[in-house]
């Protein structure tokens, strides 16, 4: 049985295969072509933590392919969690559907779910751990918008310490020999053990020093809760905010990405520039998840 | 004949060359707990030519499985095992770290599913040895443990 738990379970070939499949689904994702290959199949969405985008885009992906979806919301999940173990919930729900998508606050929860499930499990985020479908749609965005994955120069900016999106993504970037710049306040730097694990070409940098060199600027949110006080948060987050002005020296083809939702780390003035790709990126979540769903269920 | 710090046993398992101070952890790994019926003797900080100081554990009347004994390598990769029959050493070997261990280590990550109280889950770790340094990686959350001594369950 095929599960999708961690991006590290995939190699270059697996990733390229999924991205290629996603491309074939793009017009279906836009509603331009009808496809019913998952007709009669049911997806179980188990969200033990709130999520709008990820949950909705899985739901859309499933429905565009003719399938059905059952949902357990974070609210229902919290009442379940009091009485029932995750293992039992999974055993029960895997009897109701053909694949499970799970988001859970504990790291490793998706792997444990897979061990207790009679149907394929897809990890939609486990605490500070992995979020492989986000990583695949990020890679898809780079490939589509930059024309290739190999040899790209990318800067990761913002909270590199706690962001699971970043931790997942950086492992995949290394597979494609990308040159990586890390731009973050010292307190939110990428953990050393991850840098060691990833290997390859990684350097800390300041945005103004690398802006004219990079192909991709990947921005993440700096969360208020990570700081001891409001004052400190404002000081730090202010210097990791980009505007149309910040991008003046960028290459023509440089793209700005963000996993969304953004708060104020990307000023609305960026939206109208030729660099903005975050809404496109979020749309790409649909064809990529279609590729994953059809891959695990067919 | 050299002097034995702990008396001779007729039959059983002698674990020698344990890093000084780790004898109690060895018992913990072997799940030999207070209340055991076994006759167990222990010597700590015994002078040793090779190691300066070492600990020794002897378990009488029982041949512990190799698989169990090899777990000792997690905290003491130099330990040697002597299986004794009729007062003589019948077999001797050096412990080899296992590739995977279950229910021996506890994950340091509080947010790891393997620490969730009511789940039917066995903590599981992948073991790596580089130049006599043993490290472990959690099967569930991927967290790496460098100081294994602190996380014996
Ligand atoms: N019959 C026995 N009863 C208890 N301990 C024994 C017995 N025979 C050997 N040992 C212990 O087993 C260990 C290994 O013995 P030996 O091979 O003679 O020494 P070394 O490994 O240091 O060369 C030593 O700690 C020794 O005290
Ligand atoms: Zn763990």
């Amino acid at each position: 049985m095929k599960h999708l738990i961690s991006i590290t379970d995939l190699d270059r070939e697996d990733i390229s295969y999924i991205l290629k499949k996603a491309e074939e689904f793009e017009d279906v994702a836009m509603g331009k072509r009808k496809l019913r290959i998952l007709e009669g199949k049911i997806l179980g969405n188990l969200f033990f933590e709130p999520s709008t985008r990820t949950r909705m885009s899985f739901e859309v992906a499933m429905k565009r392919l003719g399938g059905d979806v059952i949902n357990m919301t974070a609210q229902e999940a919290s009442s379940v969690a009091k009485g029932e173990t995750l293992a039992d919930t999974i055993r029960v729900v895997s009897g109701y559907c053909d694949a499970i998508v799970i988001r859970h606050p504990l790291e490793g929860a998706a792997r444990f779910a897979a061990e207790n499930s009679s149907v394929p499990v897809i990890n939609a985020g486990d605490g500070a751990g992995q979020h492989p479908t986000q990583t695949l749609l990020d890679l898809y965005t780079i490939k589509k918008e930059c024309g290739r994955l190999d040899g790209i120069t990318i800067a990761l900016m913002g909270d590199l310490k706690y962001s699971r999106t970043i931790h997942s993504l950086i492992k995949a970037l290394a597979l494609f020999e990308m040159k990586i710049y890390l731009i973050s306040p010292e307190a939110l730097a990428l953990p050393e053990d991850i840098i060691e694990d990833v290997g390859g070409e990684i350097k800390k940098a300041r945005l103004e020093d690398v802006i004219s060199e990079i192909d991709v600027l990947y921005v993440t949110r700096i969360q208020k809760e990570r700081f001891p006080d409001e004052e400190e948060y404002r000081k730090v987050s202010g210097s990791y905010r980009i505007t149309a002005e910040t991008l003046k020296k960028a290459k023509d083809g440089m793209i700005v990405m963000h996993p969304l939702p953004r708060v104020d780390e990307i000023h609305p003035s960026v939206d109208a520039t030729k660099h903005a790709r975050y809404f496109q990126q979020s749309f790409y979540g649909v064809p990529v998840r279609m590729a994953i769903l059809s891959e695990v269920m067919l | 004949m050299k002097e034995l710090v702990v008396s001779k046993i007729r039959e059983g398992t002698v674990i020698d060359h344990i890093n000084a101070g780790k004898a109690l952890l060895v018992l913990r790994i072997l799940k030999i707990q207070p209340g055991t019926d076994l006759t167990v003797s222990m010597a700590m900080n015994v002078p040793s030519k090779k190691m300066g100081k070492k600990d020794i554990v002897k378990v009488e009347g029982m041949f512990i499985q190799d698989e169990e004994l090899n777990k000792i390598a997690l905290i003491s990769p130099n330990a040697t095992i002597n299986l004794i029959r009729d007062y003589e050493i019948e077999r001797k070997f050096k412990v080899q770290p296992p590739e995977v261990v279950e229910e021996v280590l506890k994950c340091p990550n509080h947010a790891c599913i393997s620490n969730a109280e009511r789940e039917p889950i066995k903590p599981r770790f992948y073991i790596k040895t580089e130049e006599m340094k043993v490290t472990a990686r959690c099967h569930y959350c991927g967290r790496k443990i460098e100081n294994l001594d602190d996380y014996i369950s």
Side-chain angles (χ1 to χ4, degrees), chain B residues 84-101:
Chain B
I84 313 288
R85 209 184 285 275
D86 285 331
Y87 297 102
E88 298 295 328
I89 297 174
E90 183 183 77
R91 186 157 77 89
K92 189 185 185 92
F93 67 94
K94 188 164 174 256
V95 292
Q96 288 287 333
E99 279 174 20
V100 183
V101 294

Side-chain angles (χ1 to χ4, degrees), chain A residues 197-214:
Chain A
D197 261 16
V198 171
E201 227 190 313
I202 306 186
K203 276 197 208 103
K204 292 186 181 172
R206 295 187 321 168
L207 184 58
E208 55 268 40
D209 297 336
V210 298
I211 185 73
S212 58
E213 184 196 336
I214 56 180

Side-chain angles (χ1 to χ4, degrees), chain B residues 2 4 7-9 14 16-17 54 56 58 82 84 87-89 92:
Chain B
K2 66 184 174 186
L4 291 182
S7 61
K8 258 184 169 336
I9 60 177
V14 175
D16 195 5
H17 304 112
K54 65 175 183 181
I56 306 171
K58 306 191 188 194
N82 304 274
I84 313 288
Y87 297 102
E88 298 295 328
I89 297 174
K92 189 185 185 92

Side-chain angles (χ1 to χ4, degrees), chain B residues 141-152:
Chain B
C141 74
R143 179 72 67 92
K144 195 168 163 191
I145 312 185
E146 309 253 4
N147 45 334
L148 273 55
D149 296 13
D150 296 343
Y151 298 101
I152 301 296

